[in-house]
Every structure is written in C-alpha cells, then in structure tokens.
Amino acid sequence: MANYLAAILIVAAVALFVAAPLSGGFPRRRRSTTLQLELERLEHERGLAVQGLRELEFDHEMGKLDEVDYHDLKRSLADRALSAMSAIERARGDARAATMRLAARPARTSPASVALAAATPPPTLRAPSARRQPGAVGAGLPLVNFCPQCGARVGTGHNFCPECGANLSPVAVRSASRAE
C-alpha cells in the first residue's frame, strides 16, 4: 500500500514538473526593481543589434548583399546598438546616482559616533587617475567600455575583448574605428 502511494506521488511530481512550462513555469523570484527589467530589455536589444551586425557582415562577405544595402543596414543596426548601449550606460548611471543618494543620506548619530568622527582626520583627496595623465604609468590602458569589433561590454584595463579577442589598445581601437 505504501509503495503504491509513493509511486502515485512520484508520478504526480513528474507530471507537474513536465507541465510547468505549459502553465507559465515555476514561481520565480520577483525582480526587485523596474530598473533591472529595463536593463535586461536594453541588454537584449543591444544583443539583437550586435547579432544583426554579425549576420549582416557574414551576408556581405558571402556576396548576398550589395554595397548600398550593406552600408544602409549597417548604419541602422549600428545606430540601434549604440543607442541601446548609451541607454544602458545612462540607466546604470542613474542606478549609481540613486545609490550615492542613499549613501549620502545622513545617518542617525549617537554621541559615541560623533566623538569618533571628531577624532579621525578628514580623508585626503586622491590624485586624478593615472590613465588621464599622459606619460603616467598605466596611461596606455584602453578607455573603451565596449568592444568596437563585437560590441561586448569590456571591463576597465582589459587589453583584449573577452568575447571576440579583438585588440583594445588605443591605437588598435582608433584604427578599427577609422576602417569602418
């Protein structure tokens, strides 16, 4: 009797697991903000535009497109990708600004924290970043946020794109942008 009950429960669990995608899936955690939803949408739009650029380049290389169509489509897809990238940067900047506003809000102070704050010296200002000073150590680091070849997001200080392997040195980036 217990074996039949266990078998029925297992069959029911498997049936629910198999049917879950048909009913909208398993309950997901609620996304915390609309900003995350907007960032996901913009990342998806950027990905579609970059993929379109890759396919367009392939079709052109295979001889499926003439020069006029290729340049028109490339311009529109590049504009679409760049607008999505700039919107992503703006949205992330807004998120950083909101975080900074929260961090800058005055906290409730206790007498002990006021005494501690009075005893600590004020913070010193840092020198400007070395990458902005010509001739300074690290001044040759790439200043790009996105790969000019494939459009993938690139962290500060990377010399090569993690997606396509393109060289991100300032000289290579300038020559790649001139070639387009």
Side-chain angles (χ1 to χ4, degrees):
M1 181 69 155
N3 289 339
Y4 289 119
L5 182 60
I8 290 172
L9 288 176
I10 290 173
V11 168
V14 169
L16 287 173
F17 184 76
V18 169
L22 300 174
S23 65
F26 296 108
R28 295 183 185 105
R29 283 188 288 158
R30 179 82 176 133
R31 289 187 170 84
S32 59
T33 63
T34 57
L35 179 63
Q36 288 176 339
L37 289 172
E38 182 66 15
L39 280 173
E40 284 180 15
R41 184 189 67 76
L42 291 170
E43 287 286 345
H44 179 71
E45 185 176 326
R46 181 201 63 85
L48 288 175
V50 169
Q51 182 64 31
L53 283 169
R54 286 185 192 134
E55 291 177 11
L56 181 69
E57 185 71 29
F58 179 76
D59 288 345
H60 181 258
E61 300 247 345
M62 296 304 293
K64 294 180 180 179
L65 291 171
D66 64 353
E67 289 296 318
V68 175
D69 289 340
Y70 169 72
H71 288 293
D72 288 342
L73 290 171
K74 183 177 179 183
R75 185 178 18 260
S76 68
L77 284 172
D79 289 344
R80 186 171 153 194
L82 290 173
S83 67
M85 289 177 195
S86 63
I88 289 168
E89 289 295 317
R90 278 193 309 273
R92 287 192 177 140
D94 292 346
R96 285 187 205 113
T99 303
M100 294 303 289
R101 280 194 303 270
L102 287 175
R105 243 188 333 183
R108 295 182 184 178
T109 57
S110 65
S113 64
V114 171
L116 179 64
T120 55
T124 58
L125 295 175
R126 290 189 301 155
S129 174
R131 29 183 1 202
R132 305 240 192 276
Q133 299 172 355
V137 175
L141 293 175
L143 300 173
V144 295
N145 290 330
F146 296 96
C147 173
Q149 189 72 25
C150 70
R153 186 163 182 75
V154 178
T156 304
H158 283 96
N159 292 326
F160 297 95
C161 175
E163 294 292 320
C164 70
N167 188 357
L168 297 177
S169 68
V171 174
V173 170
R174 273 188 238 118
S175 64
S177 64
R178 285 185 195 138
E180 292 178 356

